[in-house]
Amino acid sequence: MSLSTHAEKFAAPRLDAQGRRQLIGLPRAELEKIMIAEGQPAFRAKQLWNWIYQRGVKDFDSMGNLPKDFRRQLGEKYVIDRARIVTEQKSDDGTIKWLLGLSDGQEVEMVFIPTPTRGTLCVSSQVGCTLTCRFCHTGTQPLVRNLGPHEMLQQILLAKDFLNEWPSEDEKQGRDLTNIVMMGMGEPLYNYDNVASALKICMDPDGLGISKRHITLSTSGVVPQIIQCGEELGVNLAISLHAPNNQLRSEIMPINQKYPLEDLLDACRNYPGLSPMRRITFEYVMLDGVNDAAEHAHELTRLLINIPCKINLIPFNAWEGSGFSCSQEEKINQFAKILENAGYDAPIRRPRGRDILAACGQLKSLSERLKKK
Ligand code: SAH
Ligand code: SF4
């Protein structure tokens, strides 16, 4: 299937149940065209962006600087709403996971992970995933559809609502949400155009104004889109590596048969803007008896030589029926030591939100889980 046929087949709905068009997620130029078609000056687009992304307004009525008639006119044809919160779960460690209901009844999860120095929102890009990485819970849910730009931005807007981050006269303007990671459900580079549209608005100073330095996109290794992502978006890149050779990687990540390590690492070496100050993150999930031997660590040190990077060691987050278990702590420490001795930064990532199945690779629509039961 060609990329455009794929995009069409799995497209997000553009209209809500009442046939109104979503204005969240439209590029500014397109919004300007709509304004002109509605008989308004183009600068209304900038005013709308300000209300939507900088003030968090959810209805046209509150937009004080727009003519009253025009506000009514907008409300008849357009929306700027949020996804519905189906469930909200809080972990003992402060991580919060939401299951969101989309306008067509589909569901996705998003996760907020607070630490003393930053607040990270883990955003989903698809309902389900085309890929079937063996250790990943999301990978057991077939791709239902792509998320549209508005559905990714709605996740961020919702988190800002929750954290009370919109300016107002009497309340504090929090800055709890500092970082965005495209690491929720789905493979963002298999939904590149929509992800790019959403992230452009996210980074635009007139949009959400979140710096590209604070945004990380994680991919299982869709090689053709990696360079494009670096050139057009310039966000931080994380690669789900998980194995130091093609044989093992193909076993646990079937995408490796299409884009083997040589091609993947070539794309990494050529990632625009790469330098010791702007490193690639390689993610490596620690699977007991599978990829955690000392020899694997040595192989990894040779594989990544000369790529400015750090290696995040992720203790495997268990889920029922996966057939994997997490490596012993001591094994993980030894693995890290070998990498560190070879000069790599190899932090061991502390799992967050495991008790509510919010940790990496545990996300899946709740409805899908219930269906299976
Ligand atoms: N599809 C993208 C982004 C979503 S997955 C990707 O694969 O990179 C986010 C991260 O969680 C990836 O590094 C993924 O490999 C990792 N992951 C998946 N399942 C996991 C599990 N059960 N335990 C720990 N990490 C997991
Ligand atoms: Fe999809 Fe990423 Fe999970 Fe692989 S690890 S199945 S690419 S979400």
PDB file of all heavy atoms in Angstrom, residues 129 131 133 135-138 182-188 218-221 238-242 253 283-285 314-319 349 359-362, ligand 1:
ATOM      1  N   CYS A 129      -1.148  -0.059  16.679  1.00  0.00           N
ATOM      2  CA  CYS A 129       0.131   0.118  15.983  1.00  0.00           C
ATOM      3  C   CYS A 129       0.236  -0.915  14.874  1.00  0.00           C
ATOM      4  O   CYS A 129      -0.225  -2.038  15.032  1.00  0.00           O
ATOM      5  CB  CYS A 129       1.300  -0.051  16.967  1.00  0.00           C
ATOM      6  SG  CYS A 129       2.904   0.364  16.255  1.00  0.00           S
ATOM      7  N   LEU A 131       2.989  -2.095  13.843  1.00  0.00           N
ATOM      8  CA  LEU A 131       4.135  -2.958  14.106  1.00  0.00           C
ATOM      9  C   LEU A 131       3.826  -3.908  15.261  1.00  0.00           C
ATOM     10  O   LEU A 131       2.874  -3.699  16.008  1.00  0.00           O
ATOM     11  CB  LEU A 131       5.359  -2.091  14.394  1.00  0.00           C
ATOM     12  CG  LEU A 131       5.697  -1.197  13.201  1.00  0.00           C
ATOM     13  CD1 LEU A 131       6.781  -0.214  13.549  1.00  0.00           C
ATOM     14  CD2 LEU A 131       6.110  -2.043  12.005  1.00  0.00           C
ATOM     15  N   CYS A 133       6.233  -5.313  17.711  1.00  0.00           N
ATOM     16  CA  CYS A 133       7.397  -5.590  18.544  1.00  0.00           C
ATOM     17  C   CYS A 133       6.935  -6.526  19.668  1.00  0.00           C
ATOM     18  O   CYS A 133       5.920  -6.267  20.317  1.00  0.00           O
ATOM     19  CB  CYS A 133       7.961  -4.287  19.107  1.00  0.00           C
ATOM     20  SG  CYS A 133       8.306  -3.086  17.817  1.00  0.00           S
ATOM     21  N   PHE A 135       7.754  -7.359  22.624  1.00  0.00           N
ATOM     22  CA  PHE A 135       7.731  -7.029  24.057  1.00  0.00           C
ATOM     23  C   PHE A 135       6.730  -5.924  24.379  1.00  0.00           C
ATOM     24  O   PHE A 135       6.608  -5.494  25.514  1.00  0.00           O
ATOM     25  CB  PHE A 135       9.139  -6.556  24.481  1.00  0.00           C
ATOM     26  CG  PHE A 135       9.704  -5.588  23.488  1.00  0.00           C
ATOM     27  CD1 PHE A 135       9.332  -4.260  23.513  1.00  0.00           C
ATOM     28  CD2 PHE A 135      10.552  -6.020  22.465  1.00  0.00           C
ATOM     29  CE1 PHE A 135       9.789  -3.379  22.561  1.00  0.00           C
ATOM     30  CE2 PHE A 135      11.023  -5.149  21.508  1.00  0.00           C
ATOM     31  CZ  PHE A 135      10.637  -3.820  21.564  1.00  0.00           C
ATOM     32  N   CYS A 136       6.026  -5.444  23.354  1.00  0.00           N
ATOM     33  CA  CYS A 136       5.219  -4.229  23.542  1.00  0.00           C
ATOM     34  C   CYS A 136       3.728  -4.555  23.554  1.00  0.00           C
ATOM     35  O   CYS A 136       3.216  -5.204  22.641  1.00  0.00           O
ATOM     36  CB  CYS A 136       5.530  -3.233  22.425  1.00  0.00           C
ATOM     37  SG  CYS A 136       4.482  -1.767  22.493  1.00  0.00           S
ATOM     38  N   HIS A 137       3.064  -4.067  24.569  1.00  0.00           N
ATOM     39  CA  HIS A 137       1.637  -4.334  24.723  1.00  0.00           C
ATOM     40  C   HIS A 137       0.831  -3.663  23.613  1.00  0.00           C
ATOM     41  O   HIS A 137      -0.120  -4.230  23.079  1.00  0.00           O
ATOM     42  CB  HIS A 137       1.200  -3.805  26.096  1.00  0.00           C
ATOM     43  CG  HIS A 137      -0.061  -4.418  26.601  1.00  0.00           C
ATOM     44  ND1 HIS A 137      -0.823  -3.836  27.569  1.00  0.00           N
ATOM     45  CD2 HIS A 137      -0.687  -5.564  26.268  1.00  0.00           C
ATOM     46  CE1 HIS A 137      -1.880  -4.605  27.799  1.00  0.00           C
ATOM     47  NE2 HIS A 137      -1.810  -5.656  27.036  1.00  0.00           N
ATOM     48  N   THR A 138       1.212  -2.416  23.281  1.00  0.00           N
ATOM     49  CA  THR A 138       0.491  -1.709  22.211  1.00  0.00           C
ATOM     50  C   THR A 138       0.544  -2.504  20.914  1.00  0.00           C
ATOM     51  O   THR A 138      -0.418  -2.516  20.140  1.00  0.00           O
ATOM     52  CB  THR A 138       1.108  -0.314  21.974  1.00  0.00           C
ATOM     53  OG1 THR A 138       1.225   0.367  23.219  1.00  0.00           O
ATOM     54  CG2 THR A 138       0.263   0.510  21.025  1.00  0.00           C
ATOM     55  N   MET A 182       6.917  11.859  22.088  1.00  0.00           N
ATOM     56  CA  MET A 182       6.018  11.093  21.209  1.00  0.00           C
ATOM     57  C   MET A 182       6.371   9.622  21.432  1.00  0.00           C
ATOM     58  O   MET A 182       7.075   9.002  20.633  1.00  0.00           O
ATOM     59  CB  MET A 182       6.227  11.493  19.745  1.00  0.00           C
ATOM     60  CG  MET A 182       5.926  12.942  19.408  1.00  0.00           C
ATOM     61  SD  MET A 182       4.247  13.466  19.804  1.00  0.00           S
ATOM     62  CE  MET A 182       3.265  12.397  18.760  1.00  0.00           C
ATOM     63  N   MET A 183       5.875   9.108  22.542  1.00  0.00           N
ATOM     64  CA  MET A 183       6.231   7.741  22.952  1.00  0.00           C
ATOM     65  C   MET A 183       5.030   6.976  23.462  1.00  0.00           C
ATOM     66  O   MET A 183       5.171   5.986  24.177  1.00  0.00           O
ATOM     67  CB  MET A 183       7.264   7.770  24.091  1.00  0.00           C
ATOM     68  CG  MET A 183       8.646   8.149  23.698  1.00  0.00           C
ATOM     69  SD  MET A 183       9.776   7.818  25.037  1.00  0.00           S
ATOM     70  CE  MET A 183      11.224   8.694  24.454  1.00  0.00           C
ATOM     71  N   GLY A 184       3.839   7.488  23.133  1.00  0.00           N
ATOM     72  CA  GLY A 184       2.647   6.771  23.579  1.00  0.00           C
ATOM     73  C   GLY A 184       2.304   5.657  22.601  1.00  0.00           C
ATOM     74  O   GLY A 184       3.197   5.030  22.027  1.00  0.00           O
ATOM     75  N   MET A 185       1.020   5.447  22.391  1.00  0.00           N
ATOM     76  CA  MET A 185       0.613   4.376  21.481  1.00  0.00           C
ATOM     77  C   MET A 185       0.932   4.762  20.046  1.00  0.00           C
ATOM     78  O   MET A 185       0.698   5.893  19.625  1.00  0.00           O
ATOM     79  CB  MET A 185      -0.897   4.136  21.613  1.00  0.00           C
ATOM     80  CG  MET A 185      -1.304   3.618  22.979  1.00  0.00           C
ATOM     81  SD  MET A 185      -3.089   3.725  23.250  1.00  0.00           S
ATOM     82  CE  MET A 185      -3.707   2.631  21.988  1.00  0.00           C
ATOM     83  N   GLY A 186       1.453   3.791  19.292  1.00  0.00           N
ATOM     84  CA  GLY A 186       1.643   4.000  17.864  1.00  0.00           C
ATOM     85  C   GLY A 186       3.065   4.326  17.461  1.00  0.00           C
ATOM     86  O   GLY A 186       3.920   4.626  18.298  1.00  0.00           O
ATOM     87  N   GLU A 187       3.310   4.254  16.163  1.00  0.00           N
ATOM     88  CA  GLU A 187       4.621   4.569  15.592  1.00  0.00           C
ATOM     89  C   GLU A 187       4.506   5.934  14.907  1.00  0.00           C
ATOM     90  O   GLU A 187       3.907   6.046  13.828  1.00  0.00           O
ATOM     91  CB  GLU A 187       5.015   3.457  14.607  1.00  0.00           C
ATOM     92  CG  GLU A 187       6.218   3.775  13.730  1.00  0.00           C
ATOM     93  CD  GLU A 187       7.413   4.333  14.489  1.00  0.00           C
ATOM     94  OE1 GLU A 187       7.927   3.665  15.396  1.00  0.00           O
ATOM     95  OE2 GLU A 187       7.840   5.463  14.172  1.00  0.00           O
ATOM     96  N   PRO A 188       5.069   6.982  15.512  1.00  0.00           N
ATOM     97  CA  PRO A 188       4.849   8.329  14.973  1.00  0.00           C
ATOM     98  C   PRO A 188       5.319   8.512  13.535  1.00  0.00           C
ATOM     99  O   PRO A 188       4.718   9.275  12.787  1.00  0.00           O
ATOM    100  CB  PRO A 188       5.622   9.243  15.933  1.00  0.00           C
ATOM    101  CG  PRO A 188       6.439   8.356  16.791  1.00  0.00           C
ATOM    102  CD  PRO A 188       5.834   6.997  16.766  1.00  0.00           C
ATOM    103  N   SER A 218      10.107   9.288  19.422  1.00  0.00           N
ATOM    104  CA  SER A 218      10.681   7.943  19.511  1.00  0.00           C
ATOM    105  C   SER A 218      10.177   7.092  18.355  1.00  0.00           C
ATOM    106  O   SER A 218       8.989   7.062  18.069  1.00  0.00           O
ATOM    107  CB  SER A 218      10.275   7.306  20.845  1.00  0.00           C
ATOM    108  OG  SER A 218      10.704   5.964  20.900  1.00  0.00           O
ATOM    109  N   THR A 219      11.102   6.420  17.694  1.00  0.00           N
ATOM    110  CA  THR A 219      10.695   5.557  16.570  1.00  0.00           C
ATOM    111  C   THR A 219      11.348   4.188  16.680  1.00  0.00           C
ATOM    112  O   THR A 219      12.466   4.050  17.180  1.00  0.00           O
ATOM    113  CB  THR A 219      11.052   6.196  15.205  1.00  0.00           C
ATOM    114  OG1 THR A 219      10.694   5.265  14.168  1.00  0.00           O
ATOM    115  CG2 THR A 219      12.528   6.519  15.086  1.00  0.00           C
ATOM    116  N   SER A 220      10.619   3.211  16.170  1.00  0.00           N
ATOM    117  CA  SER A 220      11.160   1.854  16.121  1.00  0.00           C
ATOM    118  C   SER A 220      12.156   1.716  14.971  1.00  0.00           C
ATOM    119  O   SER A 220      12.779   0.684  14.819  1.00  0.00           O
ATOM    120  CB  SER A 220      10.011   0.871  15.938  1.00  0.00           C
ATOM    121  OG  SER A 220       9.306   1.219  14.762  1.00  0.00           O
ATOM    122  N   GLY A 221      12.272   2.790  14.155  1.00  0.00           N
ATOM    123  CA  GLY A 221      13.284   2.761  13.094  1.00  0.00           C
ATOM    124  C   GLY A 221      12.724   2.800  11.690  1.00  0.00           C
ATOM    125  O   GLY A 221      13.131   2.025  10.824  1.00  0.00           O
ATOM    126  N   ALA A 238      14.754   9.655  19.492  1.00  0.00           N
ATOM    127  CA  ALA A 238      15.016   8.446  20.288  1.00  0.00           C
ATOM    128  C   ALA A 238      14.759   7.240  19.382  1.00  0.00           C
ATOM    129  O   ALA A 238      13.790   7.232  18.619  1.00  0.00           O
ATOM    130  CB  ALA A 238      14.112   8.400  21.504  1.00  0.00           C
ATOM    131  N   ILE A 239      15.646   6.288  19.445  1.00  0.00           N
ATOM    132  CA  ILE A 239      15.504   5.086  18.614  1.00  0.00           C
ATOM    133  C   ILE A 239      15.294   3.879  19.525  1.00  0.00           C
ATOM    134  O   ILE A 239      16.078   3.647  20.451  1.00  0.00           O
ATOM    135  CB  ILE A 239      16.790   4.838  17.779  1.00  0.00           C
ATOM    136  CG1 ILE A 239      17.089   6.022  16.853  1.00  0.00           C
ATOM    137  CG2 ILE A 239      16.696   3.525  17.010  1.00  0.00           C
ATOM    138  CD1 ILE A 239      16.255   6.106  15.609  1.00  0.00           C
ATOM    139  N   SER A 240      14.235   3.134  19.252  1.00  0.00           N
ATOM    140  CA  SER A 240      14.016   1.890  19.986  1.00  0.00           C
ATOM    141  C   SER A 240      14.941   0.844  19.378  1.00  0.00           C
ATOM    142  O   SER A 240      14.642   0.288  18.329  1.00  0.00           O
ATOM    143  CB  SER A 240      12.560   1.443  19.831  1.00  0.00           C
ATOM    144  OG  SER A 240      11.730   2.366  20.487  1.00  0.00           O
ATOM    145  N   LEU A 241      16.052   0.607  20.043  1.00  0.00           N
ATOM    146  CA  LEU A 241      17.068  -0.281  19.464  1.00  0.00           C
ATOM    147  C   LEU A 241      16.868  -1.715  19.955  1.00  0.00           C
ATOM    148  O   LEU A 241      16.604  -2.615  19.174  1.00  0.00           O
ATOM    149  CB  LEU A 241      18.455   0.251  19.840  1.00  0.00           C
ATOM    150  CG  LEU A 241      19.625  -0.377  19.113  1.00  0.00           C
ATOM    151  CD1 LEU A 241      19.580  -0.066  17.627  1.00  0.00           C
ATOM    152  CD2 LEU A 241      20.944   0.103  19.706  1.00  0.00           C
ATOM    153  N   HIS A 242      17.043  -1.919  21.230  1.00  0.00           N
ATOM    154  CA  HIS A 242      16.671  -3.161  21.932  1.00  0.00           C
ATOM    155  C   HIS A 242      17.470  -4.405  21.590  1.00  0.00           C
ATOM    156  O   HIS A 242      17.262  -5.450  22.212  1.00  0.00           O
ATOM    157  CB  HIS A 242      15.172  -3.462  21.765  1.00  0.00           C
ATOM    158  CG  HIS A 242      14.276  -2.325  22.170  1.00  0.00           C
ATOM    159  ND1 HIS A 242      14.502  -1.559  23.277  1.00  0.00           N
ATOM    160  CD2 HIS A 242      13.160  -1.811  21.593  1.00  0.00           C
ATOM    161  CE1 HIS A 242      13.567  -0.631  23.381  1.00  0.00           C
ATOM    162  NE2 HIS A 242      12.746  -0.751  22.366  1.00  0.00           N
ATOM    163  N   MET A 253      11.836  -7.419  16.934  1.00  0.00           N
ATOM    164  CA  MET A 253      11.249  -6.258  16.259  1.00  0.00           C
ATOM    165  C   MET A 253      11.195  -6.537  14.760  1.00  0.00           C
ATOM    166  O   MET A 253      12.160  -6.252  14.030  1.00  0.00           O
ATOM    167  CB  MET A 253      12.090  -4.997  16.506  1.00  0.00           C
ATOM    168  CG  MET A 253      12.194  -4.604  17.975  1.00  0.00           C
ATOM    169  SD  MET A 253      13.127  -3.078  18.172  1.00  0.00           S
ATOM    170  CE  MET A 253      11.980  -1.855  17.557  1.00  0.00           C
ATOM    171  N   GLU A 283      17.095   3.518  22.976  1.00  0.00           N
ATOM    172  CA  GLU A 283      16.364   2.848  24.060  1.00  0.00           C
ATOM    173  C   GLU A 283      16.626   1.356  23.970  1.00  0.00           C
ATOM    174  O   GLU A 283      16.617   0.772  22.883  1.00  0.00           O
ATOM    175  CB  GLU A 283      14.871   3.149  23.935  1.00  0.00           C
ATOM    176  CG  GLU A 283      14.577   4.624  24.169  1.00  0.00           C
ATOM    177  CD  GLU A 283      13.273   5.070  23.535  1.00  0.00           C
ATOM    178  OE1 GLU A 283      13.185   5.047  22.297  1.00  0.00           O
ATOM    179  OE2 GLU A 283      12.361   5.411  24.280  1.00  0.00           O
ATOM    180  N   TYR A 284      16.866   0.775  25.133  1.00  0.00           N
ATOM    181  CA  TYR A 284      17.217  -0.644  25.162  1.00  0.00           C
ATOM    182  C   TYR A 284      16.470  -1.297  26.317  1.00  0.00           C
ATOM    183  O   TYR A 284      16.743  -1.043  27.484  1.00  0.00           O
ATOM    184  CB  TYR A 284      18.732  -0.770  25.342  1.00  0.00           C
ATOM    185  CG  TYR A 284      19.296  -2.126  24.988  1.00  0.00           C
ATOM    186  CD1 TYR A 284      19.869  -2.371  23.747  1.00  0.00           C
ATOM    187  CD2 TYR A 284      19.250  -3.183  25.915  1.00  0.00           C
ATOM    188  CE1 TYR A 284      20.387  -3.623  23.424  1.00  0.00           C
ATOM    189  CE2 TYR A 284      19.764  -4.427  25.596  1.00  0.00           C
ATOM    190  CZ  TYR A 284      20.337  -4.644  24.350  1.00  0.00           C
ATOM    191  OH  TYR A 284      20.844  -5.883  24.025  1.00  0.00           O
ATOM    192  N   VAL A 285      15.460  -2.083  25.967  1.00  0.00           N
ATOM    193  CA  VAL A 285      14.624  -2.700  26.996  1.00  0.00           C
ATOM    194  C   VAL A 285      15.325  -3.965  27.504  1.00  0.00           C
ATOM    195  O   VAL A 285      15.849  -4.764  26.710  1.00  0.00           O
ATOM    196  CB  VAL A 285      13.206  -3.001  26.439  1.00  0.00           C
ATOM    197  CG1 VAL A 285      13.224  -3.979  25.293  1.00  0.00           C
ATOM    198  CG2 VAL A 285      12.274  -3.479  27.535  1.00  0.00           C
ATOM    199  N   ILE A 314      16.053   0.396  29.789  1.00  0.00           N
ATOM    200  CA  ILE A 314      14.683   0.418  30.313  1.00  0.00           C
ATOM    201  C   ILE A 314      14.329  -0.952  30.876  1.00  0.00           C
ATOM    202  O   ILE A 314      14.240  -1.926  30.114  1.00  0.00           O
ATOM    203  CB  ILE A 314      13.659   0.750  29.187  1.00  0.00           C
ATOM    204  CG1 ILE A 314      14.113   1.959  28.379  1.00  0.00           C
ATOM    205  CG2 ILE A 314      12.279   0.946  29.756  1.00  0.00           C
ATOM    206  CD1 ILE A 314      13.244   2.249  27.160  1.00  0.00           C
ATOM    207  N   PRO A 315      14.153  -1.056  32.187  1.00  0.00           N
ATOM    208  CA  PRO A 315      13.696  -2.338  32.731  1.00  0.00           C
ATOM    209  C   PRO A 315      12.364  -2.704  32.069  1.00  0.00           C
ATOM    210  O   PRO A 315      11.478  -1.857  31.952  1.00  0.00           O
ATOM    211  CB  PRO A 315      13.521  -2.050  34.224  1.00  0.00           C
ATOM    212  CG  PRO A 315      14.397  -0.859  34.489  1.00  0.00           C
ATOM    213  CD  PRO A 315      14.360  -0.046  33.224  1.00  0.00           C
ATOM    214  N   PHE A 316      12.258  -3.926  31.589  1.00  0.00           N
ATOM    215  CA  PHE A 316      11.049  -4.367  30.889  1.00  0.00           C
ATOM    216  C   PHE A 316       9.828  -4.222  31.791  1.00  0.00           C
ATOM    217  O   PHE A 316       9.834  -4.654  32.939  1.00  0.00           O
ATOM    218  CB  PHE A 316      11.221  -5.834  30.464  1.00  0.00           C
ATOM    219  CG  PHE A 316       9.954  -6.459  29.937  1.00  0.00           C
ATOM    220  CD1 PHE A 316       9.395  -6.018  28.744  1.00  0.00           C
ATOM    221  CD2 PHE A 316       9.314  -7.477  30.641  1.00  0.00           C
ATOM    222  CE1 PHE A 316       8.222  -6.594  28.257  1.00  0.00           C
ATOM    223  CE2 PHE A 316       8.153  -8.060  30.159  1.00  0.00           C
ATOM    224  CZ  PHE A 316       7.598  -7.618  28.971  1.00  0.00           C
ATOM    225  N   ASN A 317       8.795  -3.612  31.261  1.00  0.00           N
ATOM    226  CA  ASN A 317       7.536  -3.498  31.994  1.00  0.00           C
ATOM    227  C   ASN A 317       6.635  -4.660  31.592  1.00  0.00           C
ATOM    228  O   ASN A 317       6.281  -4.789  30.426  1.00  0.00           O
ATOM    229  CB  ASN A 317       6.855  -2.169  31.681  1.00  0.00           C
ATOM    230  CG  ASN A 317       7.687  -0.998  32.184  1.00  0.00           C
ATOM    231  OD1 ASN A 317       8.067  -0.959  33.352  1.00  0.00           O
ATOM    232  ND2 ASN A 317       8.008  -0.059  31.308  1.00  0.00           N
ATOM    233  N   ALA A 318       6.311  -5.460  32.576  1.00  0.00           N
ATOM    234  CA  ALA A 318       5.613  -6.714  32.282  1.00  0.00           C
ATOM    235  C   ALA A 318       4.153  -6.476  31.930  1.00  0.00           C
ATOM    236  O   ALA A 318       3.553  -5.493  32.363  1.00  0.00           O
ATOM    237  CB  ALA A 318       5.712  -7.627  33.487  1.00  0.00           C
ATOM    238  N   TRP A 319       3.607  -7.335  31.117  1.00  0.00           N
ATOM    239  CA  TRP A 319       2.171  -7.369  30.870  1.00  0.00           C
ATOM    240  C   TRP A 319       1.791  -8.818  30.613  1.00  0.00           C
ATOM    241  O   TRP A 319       2.614  -9.633  30.181  1.00  0.00           O
ATOM    242  CB  TRP A 319       1.766  -6.450  29.714  1.00  0.00           C
ATOM    243  CG  TRP A 319       2.630  -6.529  28.496  1.00  0.00           C
ATOM    244  CD1 TRP A 319       3.817  -5.869  28.284  1.00  0.00           C
ATOM    245  CD2 TRP A 319       2.411  -7.322  27.311  1.00  0.00           C
ATOM    246  NE1 TRP A 319       4.329  -6.188  27.051  1.00  0.00           N
ATOM    247  CE2 TRP A 319       3.497  -7.078  26.427  1.00  0.00           C
ATOM    248  CE3 TRP A 319       1.413  -8.193  26.901  1.00  0.00           C
ATOM    249  CZ2 TRP A 319       3.600  -7.675  25.173  1.00  0.00           C
ATOM    250  CZ3 TRP A 319       1.511  -8.794  25.635  1.00  0.00           C
ATOM    251  CH2 TRP A 319       2.598  -8.529  24.800  1.00  0.00           C
ATOM    252  N   ARG A 349      16.712   3.646  33.335  1.00  0.00           N
ATOM    253  CA  ARG A 349      15.494   4.448  33.519  1.00  0.00           C
ATOM    254  C   ARG A 349      14.623   3.818  34.608  1.00  0.00           C
ATOM    255  O   ARG A 349      14.363   2.632  34.592  1.00  0.00           O
ATOM    256  CB  ARG A 349      14.718   4.543  32.215  1.00  0.00           C
ATOM    257  CG  ARG A 349      13.807   5.757  32.228  1.00  0.00           C
ATOM    258  CD  ARG A 349      12.760   5.678  31.190  1.00  0.00           C
ATOM    259  NE  ARG A 349      13.211   6.063  29.865  1.00  0.00           N
ATOM    260  CZ  ARG A 349      12.504   5.813  28.766  1.00  0.00           C
ATOM    261  NH1 ARG A 349      11.357   5.157  28.855  1.00  0.00           N
ATOM    262  NH2 ARG A 349      12.941   6.196  27.589  1.00  0.00           N
ATOM    263  N   ALA A 359       3.378   2.548  32.147  1.00  0.00           N
ATOM    264  CA  ALA A 359       4.794   2.594  31.796  1.00  0.00           C
ATOM    265  C   ALA A 359       4.977   2.268  30.308  1.00  0.00           C
ATOM    266  O   ALA A 359       4.057   1.796  29.645  1.00  0.00           O
ATOM    267  CB  ALA A 359       5.567   1.610  32.665  1.00  0.00           C
ATOM    268  N   CYS A 360       6.199   2.531  29.809  1.00  0.00           N
ATOM    269  CA  CYS A 360       6.514   2.295  28.398  1.00  0.00           C
ATOM    270  C   CYS A 360       6.028   0.929  27.963  1.00  0.00           C
ATOM    271  O   CYS A 360       6.293  -0.077  28.605  1.00  0.00           O
ATOM    272  CB  CYS A 360       8.019   2.257  28.189  1.00  0.00           C
ATOM    273  SG  CYS A 360       8.782   3.810  28.319  1.00  0.00           S
ATOM    274  N   GLY A 361       5.363   0.892  26.837  1.00  0.00           N
ATOM    275  CA  GLY A 361       4.992  -0.389  26.241  1.00  0.00           C
ATOM    276  C   GLY A 361       3.817  -1.070  26.913  1.00  0.00           C
ATOM    277  O   GLY A 361       3.440  -2.172  26.544  1.00  0.00           O
ATOM    278  N   GLN A 362       3.197  -0.415  27.894  1.00  0.00           N
ATOM    279  CA  GLN A 362       2.051  -1.042  28.553  1.00  0.00           C
ATOM    280  C   GLN A 362       0.727  -0.462  28.081  1.00  0.00           C
ATOM    281  O   GLN A 362      -0.334  -0.931  28.463  1.00  0.00           O
ATOM    282  CB  GLN A 362       2.153  -0.875  30.081  1.00  0.00           C
ATOM    283  CG  GLN A 362       3.278  -1.684  30.698  1.00  0.00           C
ATOM    284  CD  GLN A 362       3.305  -1.553  32.200  1.00  0.00           C
ATOM    285  OE1 GLN A 362       3.195  -0.460  32.742  1.00  0.00           O
ATOM    286  NE2 GLN A 362       3.445  -2.663  32.892  1.00  0.00           N
TER     287      GLN A 362
HETATM  288  N1  SAH B   1       6.506   3.329  18.464  1.00  0.00           N
HETATM  289  C1  SAH B   1       7.532   4.133  19.011  1.00  0.00           C
HETATM  290  C2  SAH B   1       7.097   4.917  20.225  1.00  0.00           C
HETATM  291  C3  SAH B   1       6.208   4.227  21.240  1.00  0.00           C
HETATM  292  S1  SAH B   1       6.915   2.946  22.209  1.00  0.00           S
HETATM  293  C4  SAH B   1       8.739   3.290  19.323  1.00  0.00           C
HETATM  294  O1  SAH B   1       8.650   2.082  19.240  1.00  0.00           O
HETATM  295  O2  SAH B   1       9.787   3.864  19.601  1.00  0.00           O
HETATM  296  C5  SAH B   1       7.840   3.827  23.450  1.00  0.00           C
HETATM  297  C6  SAH B   1       9.053   3.047  23.989  1.00  0.00           C
HETATM  298  O3  SAH B   1       8.665   1.995  24.887  1.00  0.00           O
HETATM  299  C7  SAH B   1       9.858   2.361  22.915  1.00  0.00           C
HETATM  300  O4  SAH B   1      11.237   2.518  23.138  1.00  0.00           O
HETATM  301  C8  SAH B   1       9.478   0.921  23.101  1.00  0.00           C
HETATM  302  O5  SAH B   1      10.402   0.085  22.513  1.00  0.00           O
HETATM  303  C9  SAH B   1       9.399   0.829  24.588  1.00  0.00           C
HETATM  304  N2  SAH B   1       8.675  -0.345  25.069  1.00  0.00           N
HETATM  305  C10 SAH B   1       7.718  -1.038  24.433  1.00  0.00           C
HETATM  306  N3  SAH B   1       7.276  -2.046  25.207  1.00  0.00           N
HETATM  307  C11 SAH B   1       7.949  -1.968  26.369  1.00  0.00           C
HETATM  308  C12 SAH B   1       7.902  -2.723  27.596  1.00  0.00           C
HETATM  309  N4  SAH B   1       7.036  -3.705  27.769  1.00  0.00           N
HETATM  310  N5  SAH B   1       8.735  -2.364  28.593  1.00  0.00           N
HETATM  311  C13 SAH B   1       9.574  -1.316  28.437  1.00  0.00           C
HETATM  312  N6  SAH B   1       9.652  -0.563  27.324  1.00  0.00           N
HETATM  313  C14 SAH B   1       8.851  -0.892  26.292  1.00  0.00           C
END
